């Protein structure tokens, strides 16, 4: 899509009625994002490689299903394919407000907690959508994926201290992940993809990485990023998801998820965003500290917030 100009986009997409496309560059996705107007409404236009059209259609279908269940996410106005230019596109409603990474620091702790709680309620609604998937196949996939990640990780120039202990911990406990049900997951559910308007949770955006995964995997980014930004928000999201009572099994599974994500995160930063490697290392050190190098299951930040 390197040669795809704004002029081509406007001429090829019949739904567009405004020639003003304002690029949105925040985030790590490779698709193109623009704020524009459609039938007098403020909308988000996303442009994807044509090869992703089936995946995008699946995302669109699930977002519509989520809205029917009361999830506060964007409305899908249009989906189209432009084969001659090798791209497909979606037009979504624009959720007004600020993302949580920007908005949360200016809120009171009570407002942060409430925003997180409501985000947790929405996440549970998403996970209640019925799906057909094989848990045994998924666990086999997760195991193979982790071993491939380890193989790649062991070739990195920069590695974690006590990394073999982390790898062994995941290998011993990986079957625990199978105790979490399979859902159609958002895959990137954290403060940066949650919108705050007038001090309140307004909805979730960016389903670009959505797909089948275990329910408790949805909290990976919360612990990696959001808990460093706002403990009240993060605590609220967990308690909103469980209506207050958090099962012990959740923490057992979470510790395994967080141990394996350290390996994935190092690979991801090194291979795709080496300029952000120091940020990745900072996040990883935080996880190691809050889990006491995985000698504890409940992270310190949550336990201390309960005191």
């Amino acid at each position: 899509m390197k040669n795809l100009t704004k002029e081509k986009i406007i001429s090829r997409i019949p739904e567009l009625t405004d020639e003003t496309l304002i690029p949105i560059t925040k985030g790590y996705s490779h698709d193109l994002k623009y704020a524009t107007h459609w039938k007098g409404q403020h909308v988000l236009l996303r442009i994807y490689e044509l090869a992703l059209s089936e995946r995008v259609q699946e995302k669109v279908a699930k977002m519509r299903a989520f809205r029917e269940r009361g999830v506060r996410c964007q409305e899908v106005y249009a989906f189209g394919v432009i084969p001659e230019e090798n791209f497909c596109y979606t037009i979504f409603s624009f959720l007004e407000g600020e993302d949580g990474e920007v908005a949360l620091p200016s809120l009171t702790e009570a407002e942060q907690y409430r925003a997180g709680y409501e985000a947790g309620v929405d996440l549970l609604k998403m996970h209640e959508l019925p799906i057909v998937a094989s848990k045994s196949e998924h666990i086999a996939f997760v195991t193979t994926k982790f071993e491939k990640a380890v193989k790649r990780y062991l070739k990195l120039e920069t590695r974690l201290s006590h990394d073999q202990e982390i790898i062994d911990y995941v290998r011993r406990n990986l079957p625990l992940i199978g105790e979490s049900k399979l859902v159609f997951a958002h895959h990137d559910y954290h403060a940066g993809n949650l919108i705050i308007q007038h001090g309140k949770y307004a909805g979730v955006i960016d389903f670009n990485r959505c797909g089948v995964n275990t329910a408790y995997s949805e909290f990976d980014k919360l612990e990696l990023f959001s808990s460093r930004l706002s403990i009240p928000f993060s605590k609220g999201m967990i308690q909103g998801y469980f209506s207050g009572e958090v099962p012990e099994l959740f923490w057992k599974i979470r510790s395994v998820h967080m141990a394996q994500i350290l390996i994935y995160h190092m690979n991801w930063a090194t291979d795709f965003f080496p300029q952000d490697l120091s940020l990745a290392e900072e996040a990883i050190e935080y996880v190691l500290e809050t889990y006491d190098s995985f000698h504890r299951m409940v992270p310190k930040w949550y336990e201390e917030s309960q005191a």
Side-chain angles (χ1 to χ4, degrees), residues 169-170 172-180 216 223 246-259 291 294 296-299:
Y169 179 79
V170 174
R172 286 196 309 272
N173 295 286
L174 201 58
L176 267 178
I177 291 178
E179 299 298 313
S180 177
Y216 296 166
E223 294 202 68
V246 184
E248 183 179 345
L249 180 62
F250 171 77
W251 296 118
K252 291 180 180 179
I253 295 173
R254 288 298 319 129
S255 68
V256 182
H257 273 293
M258 292 315 296
Y291 275 94
F294 300 102
R296 61 187 298 142
M297 285 182 294
V298 181

Side-chain angles (χ1 to χ4, degrees), residues 83-301:
E84 58 271 27
E85 296 292 348
N86 198 39
F87 76 86
C88 60
Y89 66 91
T90 51
I91 298 176
F92 299 118
S93 59
F94 199 99
L95 273 184
E96 303 291 346
E98 296 179 308
D99 72 62
E101 290 179 351
V102 174
L104 286 171
S106 65
L107 304 184
T108 66
E109 288 194 0
E111 289 172 332
Q112 291 175 37
Y113 176 85
R114 188 63 201 173
Y117 193 96
E118 292 184 11
V121 171
D122 258 3
L123 183 61
L124 179 62
K125 290 178 183 177
M126 289 163 52
H127 289 178
E128 289 172 340
L129 182 72
I131 67 166
V132 177
S134 167
K135 184 169 285 189
S136 61
E137 289 180 7
H138 183 76
I139 297 305
F141 166 77
V142 168
T143 302
T144 301
K145 179 182 177 182
F146 180 69
E147 293 303 331
K148 286 182 178 179
V150 169
K151 187 176 180 180
R152 171 67 188 109
Y153 167 80
L154 293 176
K155 296 178 181 179
L156 300 184
E157 290 184 10
T158 303
R159 288 170 50 176
L160 308 174
S161 58
H162 308 294
D163 52 6
Q164 193 57 51
E165 291 180 25
I166 296 169
I167 292 167
D168 291 343
Y169 179 79
V170 174
R171 285 171 171 162
R172 286 196 309 272
N173 295 286
L174 201 58
L176 267 178
I177 291 178
E179 299 298 313
S180 177
K181 75 172 184 176
L182 289 178
V183 299
F184 193 83
H186 180 279
H187 265 317
D188 208 14
Y189 207 81
H190 62 90
N193 284 328
L194 302 173
I195 301 300
I196 307 294
Q197 186 180 35
H198 305 309
K200 297 179 180 180
Y201 168 75
V204 53
I205 61 171
D206 198 356
F207 285 77
N208 221 35
R209 299 180 183 176
C210 60
V212 174
N213 208 338
T214 53
Y216 296 166
S217 70
E218 291 276 55
F219 294 86
D220 290 353
K221 301 295 178 64
L222 175 87
E223 294 202 68
L224 199 60
F225 304 121
S226 302
S227 64
R228 290 190 292 154
L229 175 72
S230 168
I231 288 176
F233 172 84
S234 303
K235 175 183 176 181
M237 185 173 142
I238 291 171
Q239 294 188 347
Y241 186 86
F242 290 106
S243 299
E245 189 64 35
V246 184
E248 183 179 345
L249 180 62
F250 171 77
W251 296 118
K252 291 180 180 179
I253 295 173
R254 288 298 319 129
S255 68
V256 182
H257 273 293
M258 292 315 296
Q260 68 172 349
I261 206 172
L262 300 189
I263 303 300
Y264 293 136
H265 202 53
M266 281 297 294
N267 289 352
W268 172 80
T270 303
D271 291 344
F272 299 106
F273 299 97
Q275 70 275 15
D276 291 339
L277 185 57
S278 62
L279 295 177
E281 291 173 332
E282 182 182 315
I284 287 168
E285 284 303 315
Y286 168 77
V287 171
L288 288 171
E289 192 277 331
T290 197
Y291 275 94
D292 193 15
S293 296
F294 300 102
H295 292 116
R296 61 187 298 142
M297 285 182 294
V298 181
K300 290 179 184 177
W301 68 263

Side-chain angles (χ1 to χ4, degrees), residues 35-84:
T36 185
H37 286 83
W38 176 79
K39 294 186 176 180
Q41 300 182 74
H42 191 196
V43 297
L44 174 70
L45 169 68
R46 295 190 80 142
I47 308 290
Y48 317 81
E49 295 282 357
L50 185 61
L52 297 174
S53 60
E54 288 188 13
R55 179 170 171 76
V56 174
Q57 279 185 293
E58 181 184 32
K59 175 179 76 170
V60 163
K62 290 297 190 294
M63 288 179 68
R64 285 172 171 155
F66 290 150
R67 281 183 61 86
E68 289 176 1
R69 289 177 168 268
V71 175
R72 284 166 281 186
C73 64
Q74 295 154 293
E75 184 174 355
V76 182
Y77 290 142
F79 165 78
V81 175
I82 311 295
E84 58 271 27

